[in-house]
């Protein structure tokens, strides 16, 4: 319904522009997340705001779920070249091409939601510095909800590292591979758009995934058990624009995007009721047939955080350049 409203508004604005002799600019926004995710709805609202704030001189069409065949982990390649004008940039997918950015914060680098919230402003500052050098303009940011990473499994209940060592585990970033390897767990990166089939066919036995988002890719259909392991270091998404495309806009159009992006951050950088939402998501999954087990033992969770801390240092040192400095800036904010 929202998408239809946006298209109607866009068509109306385009007619106004034609009648005044102007030509509306039409941009594409690549969003690798499924259309059902809350972030995707935020991007639809962002696009509608841009159309309204620019008085229809700029329209943005959001393409969800990888429908443009542009891979998330290739964003540092296709976005600067202008394959599309805008795209959702997430540091966790950039370990190959932008290791310094991926090293700013990794999964397991925070031990609580409060630590993550405290680090967000400095993370934004660093992302702006790094992406600007890559001809990607960070027009704004979108915060993730406070998430808890659970281990979802196909056939057998798993809520200990000892049991997880007997399984093949899906993760979404290289730092997770390194951390779980330290713990003796076999892990491999599988994109979320391929995860359903990977679980269904037994390519992996289990997957790291937040319960809050599990319904968006129907994990309830391919897993039977879940257990909480650690708080997600949910670094913000960047609403990135190709530098060339950005510079082609008028000042008023750039302001429209900046204002719309600021509205996204204001809406998403809000965390009240996070635990209630987590419990509601678990209850919904339970009703769909997923059994939530007791959480991994405290000792296992501590072992994960210790391994992640070691991985974070290694990744920063391997990335070189300013990566160790970025890590230190985050640690300073966290008071470590």
């Amino acid at each position: 319904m929202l998408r239809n409203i946006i298209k109607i508004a866009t068509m109306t604005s385009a007619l106004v522009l034609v009648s005044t002799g102007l030509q509306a600019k039409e941009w594409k926004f690549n969003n690798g997340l499924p259309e059902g995710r809350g972030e995707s709805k935020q991007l639809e609202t962002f696009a509608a705001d841009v159309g309204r704030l620019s008085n229809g001189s700029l329209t943005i069409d959001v393409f969800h779920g990888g429908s443009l065949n542009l891979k998330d982990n290739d964003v540092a390649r296709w976005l600067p070249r202008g394959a599309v004008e805008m795209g959702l940039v997430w540091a966790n997918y950039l370990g190959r091409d932008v290791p310094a950015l991926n090293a700013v914060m990794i999964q397991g680098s925070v031990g609580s939601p409060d630590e993550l919230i405290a680090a967000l402003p400095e993370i934004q500052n660093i992302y702006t510095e790094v992406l600007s050098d890559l001809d990607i303009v960070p027009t704004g940011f979108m915060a993730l909800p406070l998430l808890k990473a659970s281990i979802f499994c196909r056939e057998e209940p798993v809520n200990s590292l000892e049991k997880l060592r007997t399984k093949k585990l899906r993760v979404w970033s290289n730092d997770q591979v390194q951390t779980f390897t330290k713990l003796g767990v076999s892990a491999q990166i599988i994109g979320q758009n391929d995860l359903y089939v990977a679980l269904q066919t037994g390519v992996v036995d289990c997957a790291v995934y937040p319960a809050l988002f599990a319904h968006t890719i129907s994990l309830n259909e391919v897993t039977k058990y879940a257990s909480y392991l650690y708080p997600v270091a949910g670094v913000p998404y960047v609403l990135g624009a190709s530098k060339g495309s950005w510079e082609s806009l008028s000042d008023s159009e750039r302001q429209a995007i900046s204002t719309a992006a600021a509205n996204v951050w204001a809406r998403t950088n809000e965390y009240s009721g996070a635990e209630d939402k987590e419990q509601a998501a678990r209850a919904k999954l339970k009703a769909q047939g997923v059994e939530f087990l007791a959480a991994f033992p405290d000792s296992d969770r501590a072992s994960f955080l210790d391994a992640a801390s070691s991985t974070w240092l290694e990744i920063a040192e391997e990335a070189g350049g300013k990566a160790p400095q970025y890590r230190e800036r985050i640690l300073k904010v966290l008071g470590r």
Side-chain angles (χ1 to χ4, degrees):
M1 178 64 73
L2 179 58
R3 193 178 182 89
N4 289 335
I5 292 172
I6 292 170
K7 288 183 176 178
I8 292 170
T10 298
M11 291 172 62
T12 302
S13 299
L15 289 172
V16 172
L17 289 166
V18 169
S19 69
T20 58
L22 300 176
Q23 180 65 45
K25 298 183 180 75
E26 298 179 358
W27 277 22
K28 293 179 180 178
F29 191 117
N30 183 76
N31 170 33
L33 298 173
E35 188 169 4
R37 286 275 288 262
E39 296 101 317
S40 299
K41 303 305 179 186
Q42 290 289 349
L43 294 177
E44 293 279 10
T45 302
F46 163 76
D49 282 352
V50 170
R52 175 178 55 82
L53 292 166
S54 68
N55 294 317
S57 70
L58 174 62
T59 63
I60 296 177
D61 195 3
V62 183
F63 292 83
H64 304 292
S67 58
L68 294 176
N69 293 318
L70 296 171
K71 301 297 184 182
D72 291 327
N73 59 352
D74 292 332
V75 65
R77 304 181 183 190
W78 51 256
L79 188 54
R81 295 201 306 265
V84 292
E85 291 80 10
M86 292 193 74
L88 198 64
V89 182
W90 199 38
N92 284 342
Y93 287 138
L94 295 177
R96 180 194 62 203
D97 291 338
V98 197
L101 195 64
N102 188 52
V104 172
M105 181 172 281
I106 70 166
Q107 294 308 308
S109 55
V110 295
S112 70
D114 288 342
E115 285 193 332
L116 174 62
I117 293 170
L120 286 176
E122 190 64 15
I123 292 172
Q124 289 175 285
N125 291 337
I126 294 170
Y127 283 8
T128 299
E129 294 172 21
V130 176
L131 291 175
S132 296
D133 288 339
L134 298 173
D135 289 341
I136 295 175
V137 178
T139 69
F141 299 87
M142 178 167 59
L144 273 75
L146 296 177
L147 300 172
K148 294 186 173 184
S150 292
I151 306 297
F152 285 81
C153 295
R154 299 172 60 232
E155 299 293 343
E156 295 185 60
V158 175
N159 63 344
S160 70
L161 288 177
E162 181 180 8
K163 185 69 173 179
L164 191 57
R165 292 186 185 105
T166 68
K167 305 298 180 185
K168 295 174 292 184
L169 177 68
R170 172 269 181 179
V171 297
W172 65 72
S173 61
N174 188 58
D175 57 84
Q176 291 173 306
V177 173
Q178 293 180 235
T179 296
F180 279 108
T181 298
K182 286 182 173 66
L183 297 168
V185 177
S186 174
Q188 61 180 297
I189 298 173
I190 295 176
Q192 64 181 351
N193 293 324
D194 301 317
L195 178 53
Y196 183 99
V197 173
L199 282 163
Q200 185 180 50
T201 59
V203 172
V204 290
D205 305 301
C206 303
V208 181
Y209 211 82
L212 193 63
F213 292 154
H215 70 282
T216 65
I217 58 171
S218 303
L219 278 189
N220 56 290
E221 296 178 4
V222 288
T223 60
K224 297 179 181 178
Y225 304 97
S227 175
Y228 166 65
L229 180 54
Y230 67 89
V232 173
V235 295
Y237 297 105
V238 181
L239 279 60
S242 159
K243 182 180 179 181
S245 299
W246 179 256
E247 292 178 346
S248 73
L249 298 177
S250 67
D251 289 343
S252 61
E253 288 165 343
R254 284 194 287 267
Q255 185 59 50
I257 290 178
S258 297
T259 300
N263 291 341
V264 172
W265 181 251
R267 291 193 300 268
T268 57
N269 188 34
E270 198 282 320
Y271 308 104
S272 61
E275 184 57 29
D276 290 341
K277 293 174 183 176
E278 170 73 14
Q279 294 306 319
R282 294 187 186 187
K284 182 177 181 179
L285 288 166
K286 181 178 179 180
Q288 294 172 333
V290 177
E291 179 182 351
F292 253 88
L293 309 167
F296 278 63
D298 289 345
S299 57
D300 281 358
R301 289 155 60 190
S303 294
F304 176 84
L305 293 176
D306 286 345
S309 179
S310 175
T311 296
W312 191 13
L313 177 59
E314 291 171 5
I315 287 177
E317 291 177 342
E318 290 170 4
K322 294 183 179 180
Q325 297 175 33
Y326 297 148
R327 178 177 174 273
E328 289 300 322
R329 283 165 64 175
I330 299 300
L331 288 172
K332 183 177 180 180
V333 171
L334 297 179
R336 296 184 190 171

